[in-house]
Amino acid sequence: MTVAIVPAAGRGERLGAAGPKAMVLLHGLPLVAHAVRGLLDAGRVRHVVVAAPPDHVTQVSMALSSHPPVTVVAGGADRTESVRLGLAAALARVPDATIVLVHDVARALTPASLVRSVTDAVAAGHPAVVPVLPMTDTVKRVDAAGAVIDTPDRTELRVLQSPQGFAVDVLRRAGGELAKVDVPVHTVPGDVAGMKITTPFDLTVAEAVVSR
């Protein structure tokens, strides 16, 4: 049994939004509606909990009113706290859940196929799973003065995406933080459609993708 958490309490300043990032419109629908639809379309998720800004819980709830297996709760001061609050709410509704997905609201166009890939990998026995893409840009390490130190080998680097999948007990022990997961983290191939919508430029690209 799988549940999903969408920590969506961000304010969306980098997007130039006056309200929460979750409610920024993409092709006429809020980002949070796209993100939730992708999770549910995968056919693996029993219930979704969205952790919204405390002062926008009603607004986000109304935006998701057409998605019955969704609960909106007040998020915390940071992502980690929002994940903890979301996990508690998800397990209150689906106590027998064994898998939990944590999905970024900014990755609103993540395809259902990627959601299935992550979920199936956890179900196959990997207690922590993340989708990744190879890094194509050349990366430099620089010092405090901005001088180049060296060039990391990008063949060993990956770009992290979401949803990230966990056995419920693993995420609970980690307190909602991927960095504190105490088991090996397995990777599956990501998808370029799962881009993170963070800036107005990203939103323009996402609009073009949806329109196409």
Side-chain angles (χ1 to χ4, degrees), residues 9-209:
R11 295 294 173 178
E13 288 93 346
R14 283 182 290 175
L15 270 171
K21 180 188 296 185
M23 295 305 296
V24 172
L25 294 181
L26 170 60
H27 210 64
L29 288 175
L31 290 179
V32 68
H34 287 281
V36 167
R37 183 170 62 187
L39 289 167
L40 295 177
D41 283 352
R44 300 287 195 275
V45 178
R46 174 74 175 273
H47 198 91
V48 179
V49 174
V50 175
D55 52 345
H56 287 84
V57 170
T58 299
Q59 183 185 12
V60 174
S61 297
M62 291 177 63
L64 297 172
S65 59
S66 62
H67 299 76
V70 179
T71 299
V72 180
V73 299
D78 57 28
R79 176 185 172 85
T80 299
E81 186 179 357
S82 290
V83 171
R84 286 199 299 266
L85 293 169
L87 180 60
L91 295 180
R93 286 155 181 80
V94 187
D96 56 343
T98 55
I99 297 172
V100 56
L101 305 179
V102 180
H103 190 39
D104 294 335
V105 71
R107 298 188 186 276
L109 299 185
T110 297
S113 58
L114 184 54
V115 178
R116 287 192 290 270
S117 179
V118 172
T119 307
D120 291 349
V122 180
H126 298 288
V129 177
V130 295
V132 297
L133 289 175
M135 180 168 284
T136 56
D137 291 335
T138 298
V139 178
K140 299 288 186 181
R141 285 201 316 128
V142 299
D143 63 19
V148 172
I149 299 173
D150 60 25
T151 305
D153 181 3
R154 68 184 181 193
T155 63
E156 298 179 349
L157 302 176
R158 295 293 183 270
V159 178
L160 187 66
Q161 294 189 307
S162 75
Q164 297 156 12
F166 307 91
V168 167
D169 288 345
V170 169
L171 189 61
R172 186 187 284 119
R173 288 198 306 272
E177 289 190 58
L178 176 58
K180 294 184 178 180
V181 167
D182 58 0
V183 297
V185 180
H186 180 70
T187 64
V188 297
D191 193 300
V192 292
M195 60 175 286
K196 191 172 185 179
I197 303 170
T198 303
T199 67
F201 178 79
D202 299 333
L203 189 61
T204 299
V205 173
E207 284 281 3
V209 170

